[in-house]
């Protein structure tokens, strides 16, 4: 039997995406009605292996796994033998020898999840690999947008800010275009991607141009840890040109939705009052939807 890894969005069919969204909807309802089947993953061991910091991704995968009855072991880089000079390949080799039922990996190197999948006998789920992919984030974003708009097809979605270094942007570009949305990248030239491999994507270098008529706006943090040199001279100049303010948001459709994968840097890419706008911001709803979507992903990946 082939192993079902979740490494990126490109290798998912649109039917897989639809199935995952409808399963997330099912699990969200099951959580609300306290009818989750805790036998689904009973007796399974899920290993989280995070080489980079995380709040949302790690905790929501852990809650998702536990809601389905699995046991979760969190490998911790700070107490691991990485500090004693063990290579990544050897660490992964040992963790696989323990025979987990699924492995969730976050790593700072591009394609790290692919590398781990090549050495694993269980499903590997990419929790973010360098600037490459973050498929569970794009799936929960799609689920959240579907809840509010009822469709993805035909929507105009702006992805704004540090697109060049963003795995969230890469996964969302793949997913939203596959599902028939139009995507606008809005970023200063230095933070625009070098090439775009999808149709229906346009690129803008001012918020004023790019935001006009959008149905949803996804803001991104400046990922300074992935910038080779300071691409952005200072935070307040960046906010002045690219920060999402109430005035700029008013250029989009009146029912525009504001999204952000977190962590937010208020006053740098997004004004605090936009982040907290009770009518338009769905940022914390995205966070909450991480749990049912990750339940759907674990259910999809781990054989019965
Ligand atoms: C993002 C990540 O780590 O890729 N956060 C997340 O998982 N929600 C975005 C970021 O770090 O800016």
């Amino acid at each position: 039997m082939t192993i079902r890894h979740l490494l990126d969005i490109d290798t998912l069919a649109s039917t897989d995406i639809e199935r995952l969204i409808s399963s997330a909807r099912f699990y969200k309802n099951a959580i609300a009605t306290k009818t989750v089947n805790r036998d689904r993953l009973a007796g399974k061991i899920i290993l989280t292996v995070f080489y980079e910091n995380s709040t949302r991704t790690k905790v929501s995968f852990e809650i998702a796994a536990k809601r389905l009855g699995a046991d979760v072991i969190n490998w911790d880089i700070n107490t691991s033998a990485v500090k004693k000079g063990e290579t990544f390949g050897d660490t992964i080799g040992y963790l696989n020898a323990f025979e987990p039922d699924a492995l969730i990996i976050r790593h700072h190197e591009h394609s790290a999840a692919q590398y781990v999948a090549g050495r694993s006998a269980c499903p590997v789920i990419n929790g973010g690999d360098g600037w490459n992919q973050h498929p569970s984030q794009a799936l929960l974003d799609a689920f959240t947008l579907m809840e509010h708009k009822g469709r993805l097809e035909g929507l105009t979605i702006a992805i704004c800010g540090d697109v060049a270094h963003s795995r969230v942007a890469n996964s969302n570009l793949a997913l939203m275009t596959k599902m028939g949305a139009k995507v606008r990248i809005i970023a200063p030239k230095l933070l625009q991607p070098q090439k775009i491999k999808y149709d229906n994507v346009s690129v803008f270098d001012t918020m004023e141009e790019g935001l006009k008529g959008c149905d949803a706006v996804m803001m991104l943090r400046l990922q300074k840890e992935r910038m080779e040199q300071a691409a952005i001279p200072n935070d307040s100049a960046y906010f002045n040109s690219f920060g999402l303010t109430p005035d700029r948001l008013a250029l989009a459709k009146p029912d525009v939705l504001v999204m952000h994968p977190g962590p937010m840097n208020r006053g740098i890419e997004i004004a605090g009052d936009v982040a907290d706008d009770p009518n338009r911001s769905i940022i914390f709803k995205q966070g909450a939807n991480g749990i049912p979507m990750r339940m759907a992903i674990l259910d999809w990946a781990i054989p019965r």
Side-chain angles (χ1 to χ4, degrees), residues 56-57 106 134 137 167-168 221 223 225-226 261-263:
R56 284 150 291 270
T57 306
R106 170 171 286 193
H134 193 350
Q137 179 68 46
R167 54 196 177 205
V168 174
R221 180 178 66 91
Q223 291 136 98
E225 73 277 20
R226 294 189 202 122

Side-chain angles (χ1 to χ4, degrees), residues 142 145-156 179 215 253:
L145 262 177
M146 282 286 289
E147 277 190 325
H148 288 82
K149 296 281 183 198
R151 67 193 166 106
L152 299 174
E153 197 173 353
L155 295 182
T156 301
M179 302 311 281
D215 295 289
K253 286 199 180 146

Side-chain angles (χ1 to χ4, degrees), residues 49-201:
V49 181
F50 276 54
Y51 280 76
E52 273 186 4
N53 295 348
S54 168
T55 300
R56 284 150 291 270
T57 306
K58 186 167 159 203
V59 175
S60 61
F61 263 121
E62 185 168 359
I63 294 176
K66 288 188 172 174
R67 284 209 181 274
L68 291 169
D71 290 311
V72 180
I73 307 295
N74 294 303
W75 173 89
D76 176 9
I77 189 165
N78 294 312
T79 55
S80 74
V82 170
K83 299 256 185 292
K84 300 181 189 172
E86 187 168 76
T87 65
F88 182 48
D90 285 340
T91 301
I92 294 304
Y94 283 109
L95 293 176
N96 259 291
F98 299 153
E99 300 187 356
D101 294 290
L103 194 156
I104 301 163
I105 177 84
R106 170 171 286 193
H107 196 276
H108 42 84
E109 295 273 348
H110 189 288
S111 300
Q114 183 89 48
Y115 174 89
V116 174
R119 282 161 180 73
S120 298
C122 68
V124 171
I125 295 165
N126 184 0
D129 56 340
W131 46 270
N132 184 30
Q133 283 280 316
H134 193 350
S136 65
Q137 179 68 46
L139 285 162
L140 76 88
D141 292 342
F143 170 44
T144 312
L145 262 177
M146 282 286 289
E147 277 190 325
H148 288 82
K149 296 281 183 198
R151 67 193 166 106
L152 299 174
E153 197 173 353
L155 295 182
T156 301
I157 303 168
I159 305 182
C160 311
D162 186 3
V163 180
H165 301 101
S166 175
R167 54 196 177 205
V168 174
N170 281 340
S171 286
N172 266 306
L173 274 162
L175 191 154
M176 299 303 165
T177 54
K178 197 185 280 267
M179 302 311 281
K182 296 190 230 26
V183 178
R184 297 185 188 169
I185 291 169
I186 312 178
K189 289 242 162 14
L190 277 170
L191 300 180
Q192 292 173 1
Q194 284 174 353
K195 56 177 199 282
I196 297 162
K197 56 180 183 177
Y198 307 103
D199 294 334
N200 290 318
V201 179

